Amino acid sequence: MIVTINNLSRGSRPTIGVALSGGGLKGTSHIGVLKALVDHNIPIDYISGTSAGAIVATMYACGYSPQQMQVIIRDIHISDFIDLKVTTSDLFKHGLKWMLSGRFRFWSVLPTGLLKGDKIEAVLGKFWHERTVRDTKIPLAITAVDLNSADTVFFTSPLPRTRTILNARYYHNALLYEAVRASISIPGVFFPKKYRGMTLVDGAVKNNLPTDILNHMGAEKIIAVDLGYTGQANNEINSVGEILMQCIEIMGREVTLMKSEQYADIIIRPQVSDLDHKDFKQANDFIKRGYHATVEKINEIKMLLL
């Protein structure tokens, strides 16, 4: 049977989907994974991503090669993304408001995030301009979560199937930079993304490894790249932000394991726990780990094409 995706013939082989998880700086490992797949002529017919994985997935879906992504990472300056929403004077004002209001919870008067997210949205816009999820070279899915309804929000290329995922909404005309900005909105760190009356946060809250949407889109074989929490001890939790991140990872672990086992044919888990997840200078090391982890499973991956 000849399979056609976005008007491109894919031959008689099974269609391949790749799901990229969230993971902060660890997400640069995805570049290495994609590089290994390309180097070994593994086709990618569909791609999905959450949070950091959404950035890499969108870049690839728009035609950026892993080598180009590696160059972009090398030239990035963290200051390009930082736009603090909370200053020291803001904290003083919020503290004063808390005391005068008589509320017991200091958190109740704090803003909804530390970073506005405008800068990173502007940077993403330079890569994709006014392209929407309909305009990618291969079908793409990006995940977010609506705080108001608790629904999973999928920004996807048009879907060929009628099956639905429980408590999910689908949007096919979203600008790519807006969709990705929503997906990376880590609770407490980034200000939530407002979109069509929704308050959107990081897709990792409900779906850190979006394999289910690939199945829904029509992928017959699915490769999942899991950079989520694996249960290892973390003795370096020294701030509110780190506590929030650890809680999100712990909560998402069981859901990720359940969904990955149900939908993924192969799961790649690059070993990066010994690397510094806060040091952007180690991005190349994360990329190498992703590459090697994929090469170790390349024979299994090739079997998917039979």
Side-chain angles (χ1 to χ4, degrees):
M1 179 180 71
I2 301 298
V3 179
T4 301
I5 302 173
N6 279 11
N7 297 318
L8 298 175
S9 175
R10 302 297 185 187
S12 59
R13 62 168 174 78
T15 53
I16 305 296
V18 176
L20 307 180
S21 77
L25 179 58
K26 293 182 291 183
T28 52
S29 302
H30 293 313
I31 298 173
V33 171
L34 294 178
K35 186 175 188 302
L37 294 177
V38 170
D39 286 352
H40 289 84
N41 299 312
I42 305 300
I44 301 174
D45 303 310
Y46 303 86
I47 194 165
S48 65
T50 293
S51 200
I55 298 176
V56 177
T58 303
M59 295 292 282
Y60 187 82
C62 286
Y64 286 86
S65 70
Q67 290 84 352
Q68 287 174 312
M69 287 186 247
Q70 195 163 0
V71 171
I72 290 170
I73 288 293
R74 183 194 65 196
D75 295 336
I76 276 178
H77 300 286
I78 292 299
S79 59
D80 294 339
F81 302 126
I82 303 302
D83 48 3
L84 284 174
K85 186 173 182 63
V86 180
T87 64
T88 302
S89 62
D90 289 331
L91 288 175
F92 175 78
K93 291 176 184 176
H94 288 301
L96 186 62
K97 180 179 177 181
W98 169 61
M99 289 187 291
L100 294 177
S101 68
R103 296 181 181 179
F104 290 100
R105 294 183 300 165
F106 175 60
W107 303 111
S108 64
V109 297
L110 284 177
T112 53
L114 298 176
L115 301 178
K116 297 176 184 177
D118 295 342
K119 276 192 173 183
I120 192 167
E121 190 167 323
V123 171
L124 296 175
K126 290 178 181 178
F127 294 130
W128 307 316
H129 304 289
E130 298 301 306
R131 295 171 80 170
T132 73
V133 286
R134 287 181 177 271
D135 303 322
T136 54
K137 293 181 179 296
I138 62 173
L140 168 71
I142 299 167
T143 67
V145 174
D146 178 21
L147 284 180
N148 300 331
S149 66
D151 286 344
T152 301
V153 174
F154 291 109
F155 298 101
T156 78
S157 306
L159 302 175
R161 298 191 174 188
T162 57
R163 286 185 299 163
T164 58
I165 296 172
L166 186 65
N167 298 322
R169 303 182 196 177
Y170 305 90
Y171 296 91
H172 308 306
N173 296 306
L175 292 168
L176 289 172
Y177 66 81
E178 288 193 309
V180 172
R181 163 67 176 85
S183 188
I184 65 172
S185 298
I186 302 168
V189 178
F190 279 102
F191 192 75
K193 174 68 178 177
K194 297 291 186 179
Y195 183 81
R196 296 192 182 184
M198 297 180 290
T199 302
L200 301 180
V201 296
D202 194 330
V205 171
K206 284 186 66 180
N207 197 342
N208 193 44
L209 188 59
T211 52
D212 51 353
I213 186 63
L214 290 176
N215 175 267
H216 182 50
M217 293 168 74
E220 295 168 312
K221 300 293 181 179
I222 295 172
I223 302 167
V225 187
D226 183 10
L227 296 173
Y229 181 60
T230 58
Q232 71 272 19
N234 185 349
N235 298 314
E236 298 183 359
I237 300 175
N238 300 310
S239 69
V240 171
E242 289 170 349
I243 290 172
L244 283 171
M245 288 296 294
Q246 183 73 352
C247 287
I248 291 171
E249 293 207 13
I250 291 171
M251 289 186 292
R253 184 186 180 198
E254 295 300 321
V255 175
T256 295
L257 290 174
M258 180 181 67
K259 287 188 177 181
S260 61
E261 289 179 359
Q262 182 178 357
Y263 293 104
D265 295 278
I266 290 177
I267 304 174
I268 300 170
R269 292 190 173 96
Q271 297 304 307
V272 295
S273 59
D274 60 313
L275 297 178
D276 188 345
H277 300 172
K278 305 171 192 173
D279 186 0
F280 213 79
K281 294 179 181 178
Q282 292 200 16
N284 276 336
D285 294 320
F286 284 103
I287 293 171
K288 290 176 183 176
R289 297 289 181 91
Y291 188 92
H292 292 311
T294 306
V295 170
E296 287 176 359
K297 293 203 170 191
I298 205 66
N299 289 332
E300 295 177 55
I301 293 170
K302 288 181 177 179
M303 292 297 293
L304 298 179
L305 300 176
L306 301 179

